[in-house]
Amino acid sequence: MSDNVLKYFGLQPITDEGIQAVIYGPSVPTTATERLQQWLALLPPTIRKLIDDAGKQKRPFLPPDATPEMMTAPNDKISSMNQMEVLYRCIDLAIKARDFKMAACIAFTVDRASYWSGTSKPLLQVVEFIKEKCPEVSIAPQIQVRKARLLKDEGDLHGAIQVLNQVLIRPQGNPGEWRYADEDQYVTTKAEVIKIKGNIMHNLGMMKEAVEPLLQSIQLFASLGEPDDKGIASCLGLLTRCIGKLSLNDYEQVRQRFPKDFESHHPCHQSYLTGIEAVRYIQNIHESLYRSKHQLDADVSLLKYAILRPSVQEEYKLFQTVLKEMKSCLSAHKTISALRSLEQFHEFVRALFMISLTLSLTPIQQDRDLAEYLQQLSMELYLHLCSHQVAGQAAQLDHTSRTVKIMNLSLTILDLPELEGKVEEKESMDRQQNGEKAKREDGFQKEKDGFLGGASSQKGGISQEGGGSQEGGKSQERGASQGRMGSQGGGASLKLGGDKAQELDGDRSLTKQGMCSLERQHEWTEPEASHCKPNEAETIPPCLGRAETEPSMGSSFSTHNPEDTDILRATDESVPKTRRRKETPLKAWTYSFQQERTSLGNEETTQGCYTYPQMTPRRVGDLKKQWQVYKHKCVGLPVDPAFFSSPVPCKSAQDLDEASSPPTGKDLLVNLSEPYVNQTIESRESTGQRKQITKENNLVDQDATTKSSETSEYVHSVFLHPHDIPNQPMRSEDDRKKRQLNENTDVPELQPLVDLSRTTLTDSLVEMDLGESITTDDPAEYLSNWRPPLPQPESHADKLRRSFLLTYNPATGDWTAQSTLVYIGKKLDLAEGKRGHCRDAYHVQFLHQDEPRGRYVGKRYRSSRHHSVTRYMQDVVCQMMAGHYVLKFNEALQNYKRDIQVQFLPAAHLQLLTPDGRLEDCINVEPYLHGDFIKLTNNLAFSNKREHRGEELATALTHFSFCESQGTLMIVDIQGWLGSEDSGVIYLTDPQFHTSGMEKFSPYDHQEKGMDKFWLEVHPVCNDMCKAVGLSRPDQSISE
């Protein structure tokens, strides 16, 4: 029993006689109770008091000063252990002594530090075992809320909401219930639950909707007799992220609703102010993680606000503030041991990457040179983080001497103090050897997985074919029902009772890494895409390339071969090799300014690169405007999707000419959005082409739902060209006018943001042995001539890419882009019959994901016929537009008899780049979700009658979208994850649309013929949900 509990935490029994003597004295006590008391005596008085208070149920949550740093500090009497390990061993002894109440109190005390260090799962499993063995033991609300957090992080949103709702039920005086000492304790719990629900909304992309619960949670935390500053800071941190992603229109609506809470007129500036307020609330609490996280989120918003400023001088001053505060985010992490936390290390890497991004956007060449180098350092560190997680190693990071050296060099370059502590060389070598073994085991799966390796990066991987995969007029039916399928992602659902408790009580052996590395295997079924045929055999070759140079020691990247004059070796000898190292140094920054400027003046275009419409002299000849546009593409501001979606990358010199021609209709991205729908409706009304719909009393706005088209033919096709964005949507009218006045103003001479005059800095750069440069004593000259390394073949570095993360706002029709880093993991191992017909699913990690601990799934087409950038972006538009209508549908369901809501998972598009910034591959990504995947309807005549409640909701949603859009569109092909109960949230993915009176949305948009099939075959009679919502049907068939 004792061994089993210790192994859950990755620990072994103490056998060292010297340590035993320190703990027990001359003789080891014979009973577990006596040994427990000796171990508890090792703890400092502050931690022992927390355990005593837990036994008296003084508070449902730990006080703010019970920080993870306190629990991870070395023990005063046994320096080789930290306090957290001592507490885990105390839990083991308490269970052995059958003192389950004491075990539960210790688990409560160490809970926060366990979550911080990534060992919450084994701790919660032990708590479930305690509850099973002794139901009378009360479990603190913090532990229950932690269970919901873990379920949320693993994608089980149904389970998380269910646990949160259970926590809010007031105790009835039954044995084992937590007794709240006063009303403040219950209010604290309620505030925490509401905050997590707001967090879930944020993760689902519902930024505007998340504002209200977060503000409500702040009010509850502030209403306590002793306001909970940490709870307030946490809510403000989430608000910082939500507000910073709102459009001007959405923010104005929020501001009008909550005028006392938001002062600034711009969402980016308000986001910064909110983040700084969060930092102030948590400043007196010694938690470097959250202080750094809130500060960095605030500075990300300030960086966007700086780029929107009307003059270079204003922008430069804000850049100075951003850099100063981002440097404080790095320096907040003071010790190597603190950075063993996965989440804390993630924040360190994110801060370093954002500093490099900030420097890359300045008008000063020296800063941009430094940005290249700092970004490479951040890539090395992020690779270390991702490789650790892929290898399934212990919950905490084991740093090598090289990773510590990289972190310290980053701090030295920025004139910050180095980290405290060190890694023993022998220990570091052992960790590195173990890590490399795990990397090889995973890295050699590339050929099998099909995503990485194979064709070289010069070839690219994007098909020249842009549009549909099937001929017009042919019925393009979604696949038949898949019935009940597996769960998404193959991940572990957190079921903490029953089997696991019995396993803990038995003699089954566990892995050395402890229970933190144990996961149950569940099957995941890729949602079937309508536009793929099951028998399609044409597959796209794997396309993330491999360098053919020898690796440098200690790094997963290789240095350049001096004899190789080409930046990357072309596999197609017919392609002219136009770029030579001597003439054009390789620059690693994504879509760097130098490359864009070169593309304007050169007649010889780089082999394999984009030809961007707005980058040609015919479209934009002003370098100032070009530079401003580039900056918007890196920081999450609205961008012109033409830069990313059309034309597709070139594979050969012949394709280059074709790519330079204007984009054709099938290559254009149709940005289906609310403004587009409204303009179509107005156009139809102006022509008088609409049909009568019988009015009824309903919960939907009558004026918005009672109009439809009169004929199945196009009455008036309105196409909003998606590539024409005349002005930056996030820039106010006043700022736009000021910028126009400053267009011809000379830029003053500005000093570099980072001083590189320190002579010892060059020695540190040379000693790191990263990439190549000339021999010089001047750091600025060294960085100016520096070239980054290339990934080693068959390494984890070959799975890491600089990328653009593209997101879509259906309310405005705007795309935003953010430079980031992406790690493509293994393909999901799915059973035969569970794979999607046309896409593979991969485990994906990216630096700017909303939840560092969250799990994400990447979806990639197998066939070159579908593997085009436009297709991927169109899928994102479709899913996000469906989510926009679902929000309105949920409002209409408020008075329905069942407490039920629908959500579409937010989807985003990732474009993977070569080291010199060319598009290499792409993939769509969405949050991982656990549960049973069910097909409810397709885009023709199928509906799943076996799932009555799901089928009823799916057809009502399709009906609602038709009414809400006044007959211009309907959501079809509905599929997703249903909860186990007849209430709660249903999560959907991969929808399609039928449209009427507008540009055909996709090859699977059957337009009015598809609508006709829905009314006649799928939904000939309205169901109870349609009637409750008050939906109206067309007054006559449109089939004729």
Side-chain angles (χ1 to χ4, degrees), residues 53-65:
D53 289 347
K56 299 172 184 176
Q57 296 191 10
K58 280 193 172 182
R59 56 178 67 89
F61 292 85
L62 287 173
D65 57 358

Side-chain angles (χ1 to χ4, degrees), residues 720-937:
L720 300 184
H721 197 293
H723 303 157
D724 294 333
I725 300 181
N727 293 301
Q728 171 53 248
M730 289 296 288
R731 182 173 289 122
S732 65
E733 187 62 31
D734 289 341
D735 286 344
R736 190 173 291 118
K737 292 178 180 178
K738 291 178 183 178
R739 177 168 286 277
Q740 291 174 353
L741 294 175
N742 294 327
E743 282 296 330
N744 298 320
T745 304
D746 293 334
V747 178
E749 185 174 346
L750 303 173
Q751 295 299 316
L753 292 175
V754 177
D755 180 16
L756 297 178
S757 61
R758 289 158 287 157
T759 55
T760 58
L761 188 56
T762 306
D763 295 336
S764 301
L765 296 172
V766 173
E767 186 182 353
M768 178 52 66
D769 190 25
L770 183 67
E772 289 183 344
S773 186
I774 62 174
T775 302
T776 177
D777 292 331
D778 183 3
E781 187 179 9
Y782 181 93
L783 292 173
S784 177
N785 291 275
W786 177 80
R787 293 194 300 271
L790 297 175
Q792 292 182 18
E794 301 291 359
S795 73
H796 273 242
D798 208 18
K799 292 189 174 186
L800 183 70
R801 285 294 183 269
R802 300 171 181 88
S803 304
F804 274 117
L805 172 66
L806 278 77
T807 56
Y808 180 69
N809 185 345
T812 62
D814 294 332
W815 283 91
T816 60
Q818 170 70 60
S819 289
T820 191
L821 301 176
V822 176
Y823 184 89
I824 306 295
K826 287 184 178 181
K827 186 192 300 182
L828 270 63
D829 186 15
L830 305 176
E832 192 67 27
K834 298 293 185 180
R835 299 176 66 201
H837 284 168
C838 62
R839 289 182 300 186
D840 291 320
Y842 296 82
H843 295 291
V844 173
Q845 300 174 67
F846 53 103
L847 186 59
H848 286 79
Q849 61 192 51
D850 289 325
E851 288 289 342
R853 300 175 186 271
R855 303 175 64 182
Y856 292 81
V857 173
K859 300 177 180 179
R860 181 179 183 273
Y861 289 105
R862 299 190 197 102
S863 170
S864 59
R865 174 179 295 182
H866 304 110
H867 195 69
S868 66
V869 175
T870 303
R871 173 62 55 82
Y872 282 96
M873 295 181 73
Q874 201 79 351
D875 287 346
V876 172
V877 170
C878 189
Q879 192 152 325
M880 298 305 292
M881 188 63 177
H884 179 70
Y885 275 93
V886 153
L887 295 179
K888 301 179 181 181
F889 183 57
N890 288 335
E891 293 177 6
L893 285 176
Q894 288 180 359
N895 295 332
Y896 185 57
K897 61 184 178 181
R898 282 161 40 196
D899 181 17
I900 192 168
Q901 284 195 327
V902 187
Q903 300 294 346
F904 274 96
L905 295 179
H909 177 55
L910 285 168
Q911 294 197 348
L912 314 182
L913 308 175
T914 62
D916 58 339
R918 294 178 285 114
L919 178 63
E920 184 173 26
D921 210 326
C922 58
I923 192 170
N924 283 354
V925 65
E926 65 183 36
Y928 161 85
L929 192 63
H930 168 78
D932 290 326
F933 180 83
I934 299 173
K935 184 90 167 179
L936 298 173
T937 64

Side-chain angles (χ1 to χ4, degrees), residues 385-437:
L385 175 65
C386 296
S387 302
H388 172 92
Q389 293 175 314
V390 166
Q393 297 178 26
Q396 286 194 314
L397 278 165
D398 286 333
H399 292 305
T400 65
S401 57
R402 179 174 176 80
T403 57
V404 172
K405 188 176 180 181
I406 292 173
M407 289 188 283
N408 282 331
L409 176 60
S410 305
L411 296 169
T412 300
I413 290 173
L414 298 170
D415 200 19
L416 297 172
E418 293 187 353
L419 297 169
E420 299 172 8
K422 62 180 181 179
V423 179
E424 295 297 333
E425 191 60 33
K426 182 179 184 304
E427 181 184 11
S428 173
M429 291 178 63
D430 292 341
R431 289 171 180 170
Q432 190 166 358
Q433 288 174 1
N434 292 336
E436 288 302 322
K437 179 180 178 181

Side-chain angles (χ1 to χ4, degrees), residues 29 111 148 156 343 444 494 608 641 728 767 805 862 906 944:
D111 166 70
D156 190 356
E343 191 168 359
F444 290 143
L494 186 61
Q728 171 53 248
E767 186 182 353
L805 172 66
R862 299 190 197 102
N944 190 346

Side-chain angles (χ1 to χ4, degrees), residues 320-464:
Q320 288 177 313
T321 302
V322 168
L323 182 62
K324 178 182 177 181
E325 294 180 349
M326 284 186 178
K327 286 168 63 176
S328 73
C329 296
L330 280 183
S331 61
H333 310 283
K334 299 186 181 301
T335 66
I336 295 173
S337 60
L339 286 169
R340 290 190 64 199
S341 161
L342 297 177
E343 191 168 359
Q344 193 147 339
F345 185 73
H346 179 275
E347 286 305 310
F348 184 96
V349 178
R350 189 166 72 100
L352 181 60
F353 180 86
M354 290 308 301
I355 287 173
S356 70
L357 181 58
T358 302
L359 293 173
S360 77
L361 301 178
T362 70
I364 305 164
Q365 184 62 47
Q366 178 177 306
D367 286 334
R368 295 200 295 268
D369 292 337
L370 176 59
E372 298 275 354
Y373 191 84
L374 290 178
Q375 192 200 58
Q376 185 64 39
L377 295 181
S378 68
M379 290 183 68
E380 292 264 359
L381 295 176
Y382 191 58
L383 180 63
H384 174 60
L385 175 65
C386 296
S387 302
H388 172 92
Q389 293 175 314
V390 166
Q393 297 178 26
Q396 286 194 314
L397 278 165
D398 286 333
H399 292 305
T400 65
S401 57
R402 179 174 176 80
T403 57
V404 172
K405 188 176 180 181
I406 292 173
M407 289 188 283
N408 282 331
L409 176 60
S410 305
L411 296 169
T412 300
I413 290 173
L414 298 170
D415 200 19
L416 297 172
E418 293 187 353
L419 297 169
E420 299 172 8
K422 62 180 181 179
V423 179
E424 295 297 333
E425 191 60 33
K426 182 179 184 304
E427 181 184 11
S428 173
M429 291 178 63
D430 292 341
R431 289 171 180 170
Q432 190 166 358
Q433 288 174 1
N434 292 336
E436 288 302 322
K437 179 180 178 181
K439 289 178 187 179
R440 288 194 299 270
E441 291 174 356
D442 176 71
F444 290 143
Q445 296 293 323
K446 291 180 180 183
E447 297 293 347
K448 180 180 178 181
D449 289 351
F451 193 98
L452 305 175
S456 72
S457 60
Q458 283 79 1
K459 284 269 188 180
I462 310 299
S463 167
Q464 285 291 329

Side-chain angles (χ1 to χ4, degrees), residues 208 245-251 253 637-639 641 671-679 720-722 724-730 807-816 877 880-881 884:
K208 186 167 68 172
K245 296 177 182 178
L246 293 178
S247 66
L248 285 175
N249 291 335
D250 283 346
Y251 174 67
Q253 294 175 18
L637 288 170
V639 295
N671 276 347
L672 190 62
S673 62
E674 189 172 38
Y676 187 11
V677 172
N678 290 340
Q679 186 169 346
L720 300 184
H721 197 293
D724 294 333
I725 300 181
N727 293 301
Q728 171 53 248
M730 289 296 288
T807 56
Y808 180 69
N809 185 345
T812 62
D814 294 332
W815 283 91
T816 60
V877 170
M880 298 305 292
M881 188 63 177
H884 179 70

